[in-house]
Amino acid sequence: SSLTQQCRQGSTYIKTAGSSLVYKVVGNEKRPIYSYNSMLSSNGGKEPTVMTIDGLYVSSIPTGVPL
């Protein structure tokens, strides 16, 4: 899908403009990240680049287990 291509080109970390909740796209699902430390550890200890995308795209991705 175009969203998957966008994420591969930019970042696997996404959020919507109206929310601070960040998701990591893994395979065909988004996995919510509820803490800054979890986000760092899921990215090898570095702060990832988070891409803000349209909420409709985010809601169309199945939600997986939180990181």
Side-chain angles (χ1 to χ4, degrees):
S1 75
S2 63
L3 173 61
T4 303
Q5 290 170 347
Q6 274 184 330
C7 288
R8 284 187 186 137
Q9 291 169 2
S11 172
T12 57
Y13 293 84
I14 60 172
K15 66 182 267 333
T16 63
S19 173
S20 61
L21 180 59
V22 174
Y23 298 94
K24 182 175 184 179
V25 177
V26 180
N28 292 324
E29 65 184 14
K30 65 184 187 290
R31 298 181 65 187
I33 303 172
Y34 293 113
S35 76
Y36 184 74
N37 286 336
S38 294
M39 184 170 65
L40 289 179
S41 64
S42 73
N43 194 46
K46 298 181 214 165
E47 187 171 341
T49 300
V50 179
M51 183 168 49
T52 301
I53 61 174
D54 186 81
L56 291 174
Y57 285 122
V58 174
S59 63
S60 72
I61 305 168
T63 302
V65 178
L67 291 173

